[in-house]
Amino acid sequence: MIWWLRQRGALGLLPGALLAFVLGVSMTGGVAVVFPSFMGRYAMVTELSNFVSLIPSVSLIACLERRMPSVERSAIRRLDARDIMLVSGFALLVTAVAAGMSLLGSEATLAAARNNLLFCGLALGAWPLMGHRAPLLPVFWMIQAMFLGGRSRDDPYPWVIVTEAAHVTHATVWAAAVFLAGLLSLICFAPRTDR
């Protein structure tokens, strides 16, 4: 059990990612940035903390990529099930921490919690197909959210989710749905150990 936790980075990588996320969100909360719109008529204003929300999704893929297939084939317990529990638990922990931070500060932390759920779902869903390239999907989603613009000022397209305000219900529902779909993809298509 300890060698598995060490190998996956649960004792170093994941706590470091959580600390970087908390510090990043607390330091960038309330800082807004505007990027030019290439396709929409209106540029979108977004919180800088939305970029920090990419950190946990990248660390989850780094955690999953630290596998040792030759050693893990001889494992007595199913390590793929433990991997799924580890990464889903960490994604939910980061979301809960950010939601808890919103009680103390601005709404930007609540939007960061929602976006973390979205980005982790995208990365986990893409990992069985893309491997170590899976973090590119959340990064691409963030880029398209910035540069596609919006329908009107402060009104992004519904599928963007990232630049929506924290209190928008459909964005939260879609982020949770993407996370559950990513988790289902991980359960169905992740490489399994022999036992």
Side-chain angles (χ1 to χ4, degrees):
M1 177 78 165
I2 296 296
W3 72 267
W4 170 74
L5 288 172
R6 274 195 196 132
Q7 181 62 32
R8 294 299 186 267
L11 305 177
L13 175 70
L14 296 182
L18 178 62
L19 181 64
F21 176 78
V22 168
L23 289 176
V25 166
S26 61
M27 290 181 1
T28 60
V31 178
V33 292
V34 180
F35 288 97
S37 171
F38 293 131
M39 299 191 73
R41 294 189 340 206
Y42 296 95
M44 292 310 304
V45 177
T46 187
E47 297 282 335
L48 195 56
S49 58
N50 289 336
F51 290 96
V52 178
S53 299
L54 289 166
I55 293 173
S57 62
V58 172
S59 65
L60 288 182
I61 300 306
C63 174
L64 289 172
E65 281 293 311
R66 296 173 69 153
R67 300 169 68 91
M68 296 176 60
S70 59
V71 174
E72 292 177 13
R73 270 191 223 105
S74 64
I76 295 172
R77 294 177 181 90
R78 289 201 43 198
L79 295 181
D80 55 322
R82 288 183 182 208
D83 287 343
I84 292 167
M85 292 295 291
L86 177 67
V87 296
S88 61
F90 179 72
L92 292 174
L93 172 69
V94 171
T95 302
V97 166
M101 288 173 58
S102 71
L103 299 174
L104 304 173
S106 67
E107 283 191 8
T109 54
L110 198 56
R114 178 198 65 214
N115 292 337
N116 167 65
L117 212 57
L118 171 72
F119 294 150
C120 287
L122 288 171
L124 292 177
W127 181 69
L129 301 172
M130 299 175 66
H132 68 279
R133 296 176 198 88
L136 292 175
L137 188 59
V139 170
F140 171 74
W141 197 275
M142 187 70 187
I143 290 170
Q144 67 92 17
M146 299 295 100
F147 295 116
L148 283 183
R151 295 179 290 192
S152 64
R153 193 168 310 283
D154 296 329
D155 186 19
Y157 294 109
W159 67 83
V160 170
I161 299 172
V162 177
T163 53
E164 291 280 9
H167 63 276
V168 176
T169 307
H170 79 271
T172 305
V173 169
W174 278 110
V178 167
F179 178 72
L180 290 176
L183 203 55
L184 185 63
S185 170
L186 189 65
I187 289 169
C188 294
F189 302 115
R192 299 189 182 278
T193 51
D194 289 344
R195 297 180 195 271

